[in-house]
Structure formats: C-alpha cells, structure tokens
C-alpha cells in the first residue's frame, strides 16, 4: 500500500554499505546496525539463506539477526581457525585477554564463550574487547 506519512521527513543519510561476507554481516549484527540496511538487502540475505521473506522491516531485521546468531553458535562448535591460537593483537603472549584462552565468560545470550569465540563473533579489535569486558566471568 501507499505510506501516508506526516509532514516531517527523515534527514537524508548515507546508506549503510551492503555487507558481502558472513563476517561483515556478523559485524553489522553485533554493532546493532542491521536496521540501517534496506528491506531489499535484508530480503536478499534471507533469500540466499533460504529463509522466509515476509513481514515488516523489523521482522526482517529480527530474522536476519537471529540467523546470524544461530550461525555464530554453530561456528563455535567448529575448531577455531589457526589465527586464534596466538595473542589477538600480535603482542607478547600473556599480555592480553587472548592469553586467558581457557577462561569462559557469559555473553548476553546466557551462553559461555572463550575470548577467541568473542573475536569470532564480534570481530577483531574493540567490539570483542568491549563485549568481553561486559561479559560475566565464570
């Protein structure tokens, strides 16, 4: 149908760049930025993953977000890539959270993860460090 809106128009803003890899989708999801994507882009993702396309944009965002989280959990059961076996920042062993390899913390979903798994989900750098800092130590 046609959307009859009020007089105020949203300020024009730059479109979010379209994620092209699973890692980019995960980063956008972790940053809470999926809603910046157009419904068309969200539907392309859902179509590619064989998921339902119907619903309002909020529904699409929730479905994409849920699928990314589900896939991240499945990935956690896979052996970690070799890159995660050393210090995360290339510094000395023992100088950062990556050295606490065996330590697990509870993320917002109530599951326990190692720091390497946080990096895998939130991406390298600040986002995973912030999430790790907020997570409950066990």
């Amino acid at each position: 149908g046609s959307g009859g809106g009020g007089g105020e128009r949203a300020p024009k803003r730059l479109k979010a760049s379209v994620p092209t890899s699973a890692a980019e989708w995960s980063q956008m999801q972790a940053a809470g930025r999926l809603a910046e994507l157009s419904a068309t882009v969200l539907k392309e993702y859902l179509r590619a993953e064989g998921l339902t396309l119907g619903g309002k944009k909020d529904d699409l965002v929730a479905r994409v977000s849920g699928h990314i989280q589900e896939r991240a959990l499945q990935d956690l059961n896979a052996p970690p890539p070799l890159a995660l076996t050393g210090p995360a920042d290339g510094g000395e062993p023992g100088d950062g959270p990556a050295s606490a390899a065996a330590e697990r913390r509870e993320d917002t979903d109530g599951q326990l993860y190692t720091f390497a798994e946080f990096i895998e989900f939130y991406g390298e750098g600040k986002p995973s460090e912030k999430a790790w800092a907020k997570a409950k130590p066990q």
Side-chain angles (χ1 to χ4, degrees), residues 1 12 49 52 55 59 76 87 116 120 123 133 137:
K12 239 186 172 11
E49 297 295 337
T52 315
D59 301 327
L76 294 182
E120 203 168 311

Side-chain angles (χ1 to χ4, degrees), residues 36-58:
E36 295 174 20
L37 299 169
S38 70
T40 307
V41 171
L42 293 166
K43 283 183 177 180
E44 284 172 12
Y45 176 93
L46 293 168
R47 186 176 293 117
E49 297 295 337
L51 301 167
T52 315
L53 303 180
K56 294 187 166 63
K57 183 172 175 186
D58 287 350

